[in-house]
Amino acid sequence: MSVLAFAQQPQVKVNVINVCTPSADEQKELTSALAKVPGKLSFASDYEVARGHSTLDQSTAIPGMQPLPAGATSSADWVRVRREFPSAAPFTNAQYSFSVDSKNMMETLVLRVREPKDLMQISIEDSASAVASPAAMLSTNTPVSRIKLERFGKPSVVLARCSGADGPATDQTPMSTFFRPLLPS
């Protein structure tokens, strides 16, 4: 009889960057990247849909999420839709995900660039913590809460809505154009 010993998995640390006031150059990059997103999306016939239910416990580390207390668990339901763009479009695909747990609902749209020179992808998300149902969240044009540009060979550019809950409030009035709802009214 042989006994297999599994090596302890190394701990992975992930830093989530939330920038309340990006530099003027980063604001220009955000403006330029968002200007490339077409107002009306036209998709190819290829698509993918996935859905699931995920359970978290104290040992699960999620970037940006506070660790759960010992013995506590949390769960979320989610759906993800990936659509392909036609070959002439500047993006290869769009991935939309929606998740809901006992406290929050979150929507994320990721657009992947077809020919990444500097910019690789744009991620835009919004969230709500006081929505009665997923249907109510999906029927509401919620303002953007976080934008992230992933760049090739450079650090990401991030803009996040900052509430001031963890420190002094930040005046984000100059950033208001970035936090408008993703879809026109």
Side-chain angles (χ1 to χ4, degrees), residues 29-185:
E29 284 195 57
L30 286 163
T31 301
S32 174
L34 294 173
K36 294 175 185 173
V37 177
K40 183 170 179 171
L41 303 176
S42 175
F43 295 109
S45 59
D46 295 340
Y47 68 93
E48 173 186 295
V49 177
R51 64 187 174 100
H53 177 85
S54 299
T55 303
L56 306 174
D57 61 22
Q58 183 186 11
S59 66
T60 310
I62 303 292
M65 185 176 134
Q66 294 296 324
L68 293 173
T73 61
S74 177
S75 64
D77 293 317
W78 54 269
V79 65
R80 182 177 57 239
V81 178
R82 182 187 50 83
R83 294 292 310 257
E84 301 294 321
F85 285 106
S87 60
F91 299 100
T92 58
N93 61 51
Q95 181 172 293
Y96 169 82
S97 62
F98 179 82
S99 67
V100 58
D101 63 24
S102 63
K103 297 179 183 176
N104 299 297
M105 295 184 193
M106 181 178 288
E107 293 179 287
T108 305
L109 176 65
V110 177
L111 300 162
R112 290 184 181 82
V113 176
R114 184 169 304 281
E115 296 179 21
K117 292 179 181 132
D118 284 332
L119 181 64
M120 293 174 38
Q121 71 181 25
I122 302 169
S123 175
I124 304 167
E125 64 185 49
D126 65 39
S127 61
S129 58
V131 177
S133 70
M137 172 79 171
L138 293 171
S139 68
T140 304
N141 201 359
T142 311
V144 170
S145 58
R146 187 170 190 265
I147 303 167
K148 179 180 179 183
L149 307 179
E150 292 204 23
R151 305 180 302 168
F152 189 73
K154 297 179 183 176
S156 296
V157 173
V158 178
L159 172 61
R161 185 178 298 275
C162 298
S163 65
D166 297 333
T170 302
D171 179 16
Q172 289 189 299
T173 306
M175 308 299 140
S176 62
T177 58
F178 295 111
F179 294 126
R180 67 186 184 283
L182 185 57
L183 301 172
S185 301

